[in-house]
Structure formats: structure tokens, C-alpha cells
Amino acid sequence: WSQPQLKELLSRLIAPLLSSSMTERTSACALLELASGPLSCHVQVLLDEPLVAVALLGEFRPWLRASVDPHRTTAVMLLVLLVVRRKLSFGVGSLSPAAKHSILFLIATLAPYLQPALLPANSYPPEQVERASSALTMLQAALSDPE
């Protein structure tokens, strides 16, 4: 909690969430917990759209809470990062539980190919960037027509 970026994330979440629902507050706490742990190297990205990240965590919270499967937890975190980075888009609240499950399964399956989408493209060889682009295209198609 001594990281300045975590303090900044907390300060950006406090005011909007004071008048929000318990689900949003719980999701904000989950975001802060993830930002201080597995997502710590992506805090700067989360600072760009913290309320979007909170909304997504609220949407997929049942999968985080009930998950003893680390692949599913990783899939939720990847989804949050990809949406916050504007690599994927979809309407929060627009997916059925079955569609959410399918999307998380697809993300977990494609996870090894998605890493280049989270960092600058010049950090990876062109073939890895191309595979990441193909994986993102598949995910966006699945999100556009989830059923």
C-alpha cells in the first residue's frame, strides 16, 4: 500500500463509490486487492478507467468468488485489463451467465496468446503480436454474438 499508484487508485475510487451500491463497493475493494497483488504491474492502466474495471469486476464477481480455478480468475483479470486498455469492448450487463462462462473459457484458452495485447507491441516479435491480434479478433467476435 506504500505505492503511490495504489494510493492514487484508491483516491479515484472513493468519491464515486460513496453513493454507490454495496456490489460496486465490494467490487472496488476487489479491484484494490487485485491491484496490490496480481495486477500490481498494471496499476497504471487501471488508473485510466477505474470505474470500468469496478463495473467489470462486479459483472464477473460470481466467477471470482466461486473460483478455485486459477485459470478462471486469470481470465477475469485478463478481461478487465483488455477492456480497460480498449482492446475489447462490450456492454456491461449485456451477457447472460452462460455467455459469461463461455467468454471466460475462451479467454482462459487464449491467455497464452493475449500477453502481447497487454504491453506495447514493440516488446514482442511480430508473429506474437499477430497471434495476439487474431486472439483479440476471436474474442471480440464472441462478445459481439455471445449466444
Side-chain angles (χ1 to χ4, degrees):
W1 286 102
S2 61
Q3 293 179 8
Q5 291 176 326
L6 280 176
K7 291 177 183 178
E8 166 114 13
L9 183 61
L10 179 61
S11 70
R12 288 191 187 184
L13 289 172
I14 286 179
L17 293 174
L18 286 176
S19 61
S20 61
S21 71
M22 184 57 84
T23 300
E24 290 170 319
R25 289 183 201 149
T26 303
S27 299
C29 289
L31 177 62
L32 290 167
E33 184 178 331
L34 291 170
S36 65
L39 296 179
S40 61
C41 61
H42 298 284
V43 173
Q44 190 60 45
V45 172
L46 295 171
L47 283 170
D48 293 338
E49 297 285 346
L51 297 179
V52 171
V54 167
L56 282 167
L57 286 174
E59 181 90 7
F60 286 89
R61 199 177 82 181
W63 282 267
L64 281 174
R65 192 176 40 201
S67 182
V68 291
D69 179 4
H71 299 293
R72 190 175 294 168
T73 302
T74 300
V76 172
M77 290 187 291
L78 272 172
L79 177 65
V80 168
L81 289 172
L82 291 168
V83 171
V84 168
R85 282 190 171 265
R86 294 184 178 95
K87 302 289 183 173
L88 290 176
S89 64
F90 73 99
V92 174
S94 66
L95 300 175
S96 69
K100 289 176 190 173
H101 180 76
S102 296
I103 294 298
L104 291 178
F105 177 78
L106 184 57
I107 291 172
T109 303
L110 295 173
Y113 304 103
L114 292 170
Q115 194 64 30
L118 300 175
L119 298 170
N122 59 4
S123 303
Y124 290 93
E127 60 274 359
Q128 284 184 323
V129 173
E130 188 175 320
R131 278 182 259 172
S133 178
S134 296
L136 286 170
T137 301
M138 283 189 273
L139 278 172
Q140 190 61 61
L143 284 166
S144 298
D145 187 22
E147 302 302 328

